[in-house]
Amino acid sequence: MPAVQAVSSRRRIGADLALLLVACLWGATFPLAKVILRHLPPFVYLAVRFGLAAALLLPLAARRPHGTLRGTRLLWPLATGMALAGGYIFQTLGLRTAGATTSAFITGLSVVLVPVFGLCWGRRPRANEAIGVIAAVLGLGLLTLRGAVRPGIGELLVLGCAVCFAWHILFLDRASAAMSPARLGVFQTASVAVVCGLFVPAEP
């Protein structure tokens, strides 16, 4: 039993470290995207970015066993991909005028919106979750905001991103039961690439 507990503890620590790495990489994308958007139109940037991601994940997904997805089992992965596409479209369009740190703060508000939207499915946040949400908002504000924020079109677009990302997390909870993580990763990134690719001809 102690050996099993030790393995479980190591897995939890590994999972936490993986999430920390993801958070660091995610934070780095905001200033990097600001630079890239000086040279590439938003939808070209997103289509190339997520097209490459899907191609890199495809060999990993191909090695995993999978069954046939039909009907409602495909609904949640599809909803997850569309929510992710909407989030990145709003975020990237907003980054053209909104500051990187302000965009990071507004996007981080998706953490607050997840339990709020979860109420639609009858999920009431516990007291410790509510305290954590409030602490996260205050912490994000102290870390990223400098002075008063006057919301413009860029900030409003990034707020739309936060809404999409919150729904993405909720949809992901359902989609993970219908598809393996590797296949779901390919499905999501490919969805973003396809949706954004449809808008590329309209860009200069």
Side-chain angles (χ1 to χ4, degrees), residues 88-100:
Y88 274 104
I89 288 171
F90 281 126
Q91 184 187 83
T92 306
L93 292 176
L95 271 171
R96 291 190 297 179
T97 55

Side-chain angles (χ1 to χ4, degrees), residues 86-143:
Y88 274 104
I89 288 171
F90 281 126
Q91 184 187 83
T92 306
L93 292 176
L95 271 171
R96 291 190 297 179
T97 55
T101 54
T102 302
S103 298
F105 169 74
I106 297 174
T107 304
L109 292 179
S110 59
V111 176
V112 182
L113 296 175
V114 168
V116 173
F117 294 155
L119 291 171
C120 299
W121 289 343
R123 297 179 178 179
R124 293 186 178 181
R126 297 189 296 269
N128 60 339
E129 292 174 340
I131 293 172
V133 164
I134 294 171
V137 174
L138 294 175
L140 283 168
L142 291 172
L143 285 169

Side-chain angles (χ1 to χ4, degrees), residues 101-197:
T101 54
T102 302
S103 298
F105 169 74
I106 297 174
T107 304
L109 292 179
S110 59
V111 176
V112 182
L113 296 175
V114 168
V116 173
F117 294 155
L119 291 171
C120 299
W121 289 343
R123 297 179 178 179
R124 293 186 178 181
R126 297 189 296 269
N128 60 339
E129 292 174 340
I131 293 172
V133 164
I134 294 171
V137 174
L138 294 175
L140 283 168
L142 291 172
L143 285 169
T144 60
L145 295 180
R146 296 178 181 178
V149 177
R150 297 178 180 178
I153 185 63
E155 287 76 16
L156 293 175
L157 286 169
V158 179
L159 181 60
C161 157
V163 171
C164 288
F165 278 175
W167 281 112
H168 171 256
I169 293 171
L170 291 169
F171 293 152
L172 192 61
D173 184 42
R174 302 292 183 92
S176 59
M179 190 178 286
S180 69
R183 290 190 72 205
L184 187 56
V186 173
F187 195 92
Q188 290 183 87
T189 51
S191 296
V192 179
V194 170
V195 171
C196 293

